[in-house]
Amino acid sequence: MQVLFFAPNGAGEQLQEAVEGLFPGTRVYRAIGDLSKRFRQPMDDPTIAVLVARTEEDLGGILSIRDLLRDVRVLLVLPDMGTETVAKGHSLHPRFLSHIDADLTEVAAVLEKMLRVSRAAGREEVNEKR
């Protein structure tokens, strides 16, 4: 399992700390080009991406790599909860959707649950192979 965290311009610093606390191997990206480059590399492990868009421009950057996110479990933080913004966010098919002014501990709680479920599934898979 790998967790990727994207938040341009220093957005989501508290959320980043919470994510890194849950999964110390989290890779942090600040530029959409760097994140895109990572997604273009082979990934053997299941991936969870926590994507923070503080502005519409940030969201546009995330939407520009939509095709690369097809096989990734996405937790998305939007700049606002306007109808158009939410519709754009849903086009990414996130597992969880929030916004920048919300209580971001909810995002961390969802991530924690996803990691627990993934680890439990991994243990079951190992036991089945024995």
Side-chain angles (χ1 to χ4, degrees):
M1 171 66 57
Q2 62 179 314
V3 176
L4 307 178
F5 183 88
F6 171 74
N9 307 319
E13 290 176 3
Q14 290 177 326
L15 179 57
Q16 178 186 336
E17 290 174 14
V19 169
E20 289 176 320
L22 291 170
F23 197 85
T26 298
R27 292 186 176 155
V28 177
Y29 297 88
R30 297 289 180 207
I32 198 69
D34 294 337
L35 182 64
S36 173
K37 184 178 177 181
R38 174 64 189 106
F39 280 124
R40 292 179 194 283
Q41 298 172 357
M43 288 191 259
D44 296 329
D45 297 335
T47 302
I48 298 172
V50 179
L51 308 174
V52 179
R54 186 167 45 180
T55 66
E56 286 292 324
E57 183 180 333
D58 296 343
L59 181 57
I62 294 169
L63 291 170
S64 74
I65 64 166
R66 174 182 331 180
D67 291 343
L68 300 174
L69 300 172
R70 255 188 316 240
D71 299 324
V72 177
R73 290 179 245 165
V74 172
L75 296 139
L76 180 62
V77 179
L78 297 171
D80 60 68
M81 292 303 285
T83 304
E84 188 176 321
T85 304
V86 171
K88 289 177 184 177
H90 278 295
S91 74
L92 296 168
H93 305 287
R95 299 288 175 108
F96 184 77
L97 186 71
S98 187
H99 64 97
I100 201 74
D101 293 328
D103 181 2
L104 297 179
T105 58
E106 293 175 3
V107 178
V110 169
L111 176 61
E112 182 176 25
K113 185 173 182 177
M114 291 172 76
L115 290 170
R116 256 186 311 185
V117 168
S118 180
R119 287 175 181 146
R123 283 191 295 273
E124 286 178 20
E125 192 175 298
V126 168
N127 290 337
E128 287 176 9
K129 290 181 181 178
R130 289 183 187 176

